[in-house]
Amino acid sequence: MYFGADYYPEHWPRAEWESNALLMKEASINVVRIAEFAWAKMEPKEGVFDFSWLDEVIEVLSKQGIKVILGTPTATPPKWLSDKIEDIYMVNEFNQVRGFGSRRHYCYNNSKYKEYTAKIVTALAKHYKNNTNVVAWQIDNEFGCHDTVRCYCNNCLKDFQGWLENKYKSIERLNEEWGTVFWSQTYSSFEEIILPKYTVCDSAVSASGLNGRKRYSHNPGLLLDFYRFSSDSVVKYQKLQIDIIKNCDCNQPINNNLMGHFNQIDYFKLGEDLDFVSWDNYPNNEWGQNSMFSVSMAHDLMRGVKGKKFWMMEQQSGPCGWNSLGDTPKPGQIRLWTYQAIAHGAEGIVFFRWRACPFGTEQYWYGILDHDGIPRRRYKEIKQIGSEVERLSDLFVDSKVLSEAAIIKSYDNLWSHQFQPHNEKFDYNSLLIQYYTALGTNNINSDIVPYNIDFSEYKLLIMPAFNLMKDDILQRVENYVSGGGNLVLTFRSGTKEWNNSMTIKTLPGYFKELAGVTVEEFDSINFGREVQMFTEYGMGKVLMWADILKPISAEIIGTYASDFYEGEAAITVNSYGKGKVYYIGCDLEQEVLNKLLEEIALKSGIKPLIPNNIEGVEVVSKEKNGRKYIIVMNHNGYEVEIHLSGTYKELISNIDIDGKLMLNPYEVAILETNVG
């Protein structure tokens, strides 16, 4: 198993490279990622390539048994190149040029920049294709970071028009799909089509909404297609580099480091051309703290992108931020976060960064070592982790997370909800996290999957707020349920067609027969109002949305207890073929949802991994070659007692556990389940 750090030798004197490599080896580090921001050092002048320093550091590392992941440096085009290409920079929706001074300062659709991208990647690939110390490639770095997916320059306008012509074939069909007859927005040709820039009815600044403002006026079909096009532009730019590397006869696998819940790129599409995906995880930073289930869901999403193992390419190893710092990781937290990643499918762990940099924008971003390079507590903790991972590597590599439930994520639906959220308090990704949390709280694993896979391996499938809908998705879901699967639908499902126009079908649209209900009307709950609802699992508050349901064939299992729809159906269950469909017509408080999903899971044949639910404790089930084990993680800053059924072998300490497990703050246990 690869265990390593992100290393920037260009930031440090040559005389320190050997001592760095020795310290890495002592911590069981066997891989580093390098060079992803070093274009100016690789090509200091146009056409003058210098890889000698890179050759030297790779050789220094190899003497200590350390391999490298080599990054293409296209996230940071150098100043000479930025000056040469006049229109290289992105343009925002206010027609402001986003110029030099940071990183990611380029437009994906700039043909000149693509030419220079091809030159540097070709030179790099040809130079290192036979180097056995290079074990993988990374394309660019964090595509989309700093709101760099959607560009409004003339290059993007031209490419967007071509993208639309390729999709719709005729301008008449586009006008029909978008409904441009509304407000006389009909286009006569593809050359007339605009980008959704700032216009009348838009607010220039907003505390919430999209990219710091709210869009009120643009055609929803135009907006959705522009978001799809922008995401596809990133996918296309990535493929340009992948094809070059492969055409240079490089046999090393290729990855890209994603950003978890980042929402501007369709990660399922981005992952198609990659050999594996990695991602960058900072649970506690300048901008906030992530809940344990938010992090776990991001891990499971990364695993779901390709349905297989992933890497952590940047795992937090110190306090971090750009202008101020988040909390310092407490003793044991770095180890906990590492095992959390491994539990959910990570087969490579790379910590960011080896040593804090004394200059530049990220000088507050601490790593394994502080600025002075002296090993301290965090280094010792990572050294401990490295020793354990080295010993347990065979258990983790090629293991499988055992999930009987899955949650469907759709980027098309995410984008549609972003610019028309139905209610100002609604957030699609937050709803997914809420349902994921409900399963996790009940010690139930779940996968995060796209809508176009075979669902048959799951006993329970959840489609929160799946609003955009089309026939082929319906067919797939119908086959799943009629074959014995259990499906959960929620409010704001099926109200739109795939082109982002409202459906004229009776709500919930395509889901009507499956759910066995109609939505008679609904209530968007605003301005501090609350509605009471009742299920056999207790009373709860509805704070955002209420679908008022009329059962056709469904059974009522939850009702509203206040407002003008008191006594009307809020939650239903319908038998369909051999399976069941649950329709949850309102938002629920987390505690109520936890209890509801616990019951739904049990009725779907899913049992919790351990019998008792303890706040702050996470459990993941894994299997390799018939050998099953569970990883139990205490995210609390205090000791917890966990009651177990049966006898287990704890694999880190190699001791037997009978009936009761005590976990210290941020402690981890790996329990083999086939003992006794």
Side-chain angles (χ1 to χ4, degrees):
M1 183 172 179
Y2 283 113
F3 185 79
D6 299 295
Y7 184 42
Y8 300 91
E10 68 270 26
H11 296 172
W12 303 101
R14 166 65 182 84
E16 296 187 14
W17 291 358
E18 277 87 1
S19 60
N20 285 333
L22 283 168
L23 275 176
M24 291 176 189
K25 183 180 181 180
E26 288 179 17
S28 299
I29 285 175
N30 56 23
V31 71
V32 297
R33 182 194 66 181
I34 57 175
E36 78 275 12
F37 295 131
W39 192 337
K41 195 165 179 64
M42 292 180 189
E43 189 181 7
K45 295 180 180 180
E46 182 177 354
V48 179
F49 298 104
D50 180 10
F51 301 128
S52 60
W53 65 277
L54 204 48
D55 294 339
E56 191 171 1
V57 73
I58 291 173
E59 180 63 22
V60 168
L61 293 164
S62 71
K63 289 178 180 178
Q64 304 304 328
I66 300 170
K67 304 295 186 179
V68 301
I69 302 154
L70 196 55
T72 65
T74 51
T76 52
K79 187 62 164 60
W80 64 259
L81 177 55
S82 301
D83 289 343
K84 187 177 182 67
I85 303 176
E86 183 178 354
D87 57 349
I88 188 175
Y89 300 117
M90 286 190 138
V91 175
N92 71 11
E93 57 266 53
F94 304 108
N95 276 328
Q96 298 167 325
V97 176
R98 305 179 69 188
F100 192 87
S102 184
R103 60 180 181 179
R104 308 219 51 78
H105 42 280
Y106 67 84
C107 170
Y108 299 98
N109 293 310
N110 187 294
S111 59
K112 287 289 184 183
Y113 185 63
K114 290 181 181 180
E115 291 176 11
Y116 282 94
T117 293
K119 290 177 182 178
I120 185 66
V121 174
T122 300
L124 198 61
K126 285 183 176 180
H127 189 83
Y128 288 105
K129 66 178 182 179
N130 295 321
N131 192 314
T132 57
N133 293 309
V134 177
V135 294
W137 293 87
Q138 176 183 297
I139 303 298
D140 206 285
N141 186 81
E142 293 184 339
F143 280 136
C145 188
H146 319 306
D147 189 23
T148 55
V149 171
R150 295 160 198 150
C151 177
Y152 300 79
C153 73
N154 289 331
N155 292 312
C156 288
L157 173 61
K158 182 179 178 181
D159 280 18
F160 181 48
Q161 291 168 344
W163 184 92
L164 291 169
E165 185 169 12
N166 183 63
K167 176 177 180 177
Y168 292 107
K169 308 305 180 187
S170 73
I171 196 66
E172 290 79 15
R173 185 184 167 205
L174 178 144
N175 284 318
E176 181 181 358
E177 291 281 339
W178 287 4
T180 56
V181 67
F182 186 80
W183 281 357
S184 294
Q185 292 178 352
T186 304
Y187 296 101
S188 300
S189 68
F190 287 101
E191 289 74 22
E192 287 186 355
I193 292 171
I194 64 166
L195 295 176
K197 295 183 179 182
Y198 178 64
T199 186
V200 177
C201 301
D202 278 12
S203 63
V205 180
S206 173
S208 62
L210 199 56
N211 299 336
R213 69 186 183 96
K214 297 178 183 177
R215 289 191 173 96
Y216 293 108
S217 60
H218 278 294
N219 182 292
L222 165 64
L223 281 171
L224 183 55
D225 272 341
F226 178 65
Y227 279 37
R228 288 166 169 161
F229 157 78
S230 299
S231 175
D232 285 354
S233 296
V234 180
V235 174
K236 185 177 179 181
Y237 180 71
Q238 176 186 257
K239 191 175 189 303
L240 166 70
Q241 298 197 38
I242 291 172
D243 288 346
I244 290 170
I245 292 171
K246 290 185 175 180
N247 289 337
C248 289
D249 296 324
C250 296
N251 296 317
Q252 304 98 329
I254 302 171
N255 92 101
N256 181 254
N257 57 330
L258 313 185
M259 295 181 291
H261 295 299
F262 182 74
N263 59 31
Q264 294 186 20
I265 303 170
D266 186 332
Y267 277 167
F268 296 119
K269 286 187 176 181
L270 191 71
E272 288 177 1
D273 297 316
L274 295 166
D275 296 307
F276 68 97
V277 301
S278 63
W279 81 285
D280 301 346
N281 179 34
Y282 299 96
N284 187 341
N285 56 56
E286 172 187 358
W287 300 279
Q289 296 181 347
N290 296 304
S291 71
M292 70 176 188
F293 286 127
S294 176
V295 173
S296 291
M297 181 177 166
H299 285 311
D300 288 337
L301 172 60
M302 296 300 99
R303 192 178 74 251
V305 166
K306 292 190 72 69
K308 65 179 188 180
K309 65 182 181 181
F310 63 94
W311 279 39
M312 296 308 309
M313 198 57 73
E314 296 182 20
Q315 175 61 61
Q316 182 175 349
S317 63
C320 55
W322 277 17
N323 303 311
S324 60
L325 294 165
D327 296 348
T328 297
K330 297 176 177 60
Q333 276 192 315
I334 297 172
R335 181 173 178 268
L336 171 68
W337 295 335
T338 302
Y339 278 107
Q340 184 183 29
I342 291 171
H344 289 273
E347 294 194 357
I349 301 292
V350 181
F351 293 98
F352 190 90
R353 50 188 290 159
W354 170 245
R355 181 176 174 183
C357 186
F359 45 76
T361 304
E362 293 185 344
Q363 57 187 271
Y364 280 1
W365 209 286
Y366 285 74
I368 299 172
L369 304 180
D370 295 333
H371 296 96
D372 60 9
I374 298 174
R376 294 187 175 90
R377 173 179 65 84
R378 298 194 305 278
Y379 173 84
K380 293 175 183 177
E381 186 170 322
I382 286 171
K383 185 176 180 180
Q384 176 192 348
I385 303 166
S387 175
E388 293 172 356
V389 166
E390 193 172 38
R391 178 166 52 88
L392 296 169
S393 177
D394 286 345
L395 184 67
F396 302 139
V397 174
D398 295 326
S399 63
K400 181 181 180 181
V401 178
L402 300 177
S403 299
E404 295 181 298
I407 298 173
I408 295 178
K409 179 166 185 173
S410 160
Y411 287 91
D412 296 277
N413 273 282
L414 186 154
W415 297 329
S416 175
H417 284 305
Q418 277 188 323
F419 32 79
Q420 290 181 306
H422 315 274
N423 182 291
E424 286 300 314
K425 298 186 288 290
F426 179 78
D427 179 81
Y428 174 79
N429 209 55
S430 295
L431 185 67
L432 266 62
I433 292 173
Q434 186 186 18
Y435 275 77
Y436 181 91
T437 298
L439 292 173
T441 299
N442 287 295
N443 301 321
I444 295 170
N445 291 166
S446 58
D447 291 343
I448 310 300
V449 299
Y451 58 77
N452 57 351
I453 67 163
D454 179 11
F455 304 131
S456 60
E457 67 178 274
Y458 300 107
K459 294 180 179 179
L460 177 63
L461 188 66
I462 303 176
M463 297 179 73
F466 205 92
N467 202 30
L468 305 177
M469 209 29 202
K470 55 182 178 177
D471 287 327
D472 64 313
I473 300 175
L474 176 63
Q475 186 63 58
R476 187 174 284 108
V477 174
E478 282 183 338
N479 291 343
Y480 166 75
V481 178
S482 61
N486 298 278
L487 174 68
V488 174
L489 300 169
T490 78
F491 63 101
R492 296 291 83 189
S493 292
T495 75
K496 286 196 169 194
E497 301 290 339
W498 202 248
N499 60 14
N500 211 24
S501 294
M502 298 299 292
T503 186
I504 60 173
K505 296 178 173 66
T506 299
L507 300 185
Y510 288 83
F511 296 117
K512 175 185 170 185
E513 299 302 323
L514 268 169
V517 299
T518 61
V519 179
E520 284 294 282
E521 55 182 322
F522 50 78
D523 187 10
S524 179
I525 301 168
N526 300 287
F527 315 118
R529 287 174 55 219
E530 295 179 358
V531 173
Q532 298 294 318
M533 62 85 59
F534 174 78
T535 73
E536 60 183 278
Y537 317 109
M539 294 287 290
K541 296 177 182 177
V542 179
L543 303 175
M544 182 169 53
W545 193 271
D547 277 347
I548 302 157
L549 306 177
K550 180 180 179 181
I552 303 171
S553 55
E555 172 190 350
I556 299 172
I557 58 174
T559 58
Y560 296 108
S562 67
D563 223 291
F564 69 90
Y565 37 92
E566 181 178 354
E568 299 291 342
I571 306 173
T572 59
V573 57
N574 186 51
S575 295
Y576 188 92
K578 297 178 181 178
K580 293 187 181 298
V581 179
Y582 297 85
Y583 190 97
I584 302 174
C586 56
D587 60 287
L588 298 172
E589 295 175 282
Q590 189 69 59
E591 185 177 350
V592 176
L593 183 60
N594 293 350
K595 293 177 181 177
L596 177 60
L597 284 196
E598 179 183 23
E599 186 64 22
I600 291 174
L602 286 172
K603 290 182 177 178
S604 302
I606 302 175
K607 296 179 180 179
L609 298 173
I610 59 175
N612 53 327
N613 307 335
I614 301 174
E615 185 176 357
V617 172
E618 181 183 6
V619 187
V620 177
S621 176
K622 304 199 77 176
E623 181 267 339
K624 181 179 179 180
N625 297 332
R627 185 181 182 186
K628 295 183 179 180
Y629 58 96
I630 59 175
I631 301 180
V632 186
M633 295 159 279
N634 179 20
H635 292 262
N636 297 298
Y638 51 84
E639 185 182 53
V640 297
E641 179 179 307
I642 301 169
H643 295 282
L644 304 168
S645 300
T647 301
Y648 298 81
K649 174 73 73 175
E650 203 290 305
L651 300 179
I652 300 176
S653 61
N654 201 33
I655 63 174
D656 293 331
I657 304 292
D658 187 8
K660 183 173 70 174
L661 172 67
M662 303 299 297
L663 283 182
N664 291 323
Y666 313 117
E667 188 59 78
V668 176
I670 303 177
L671 306 178
E672 191 167 3
T673 58
N674 59 354
V675 177

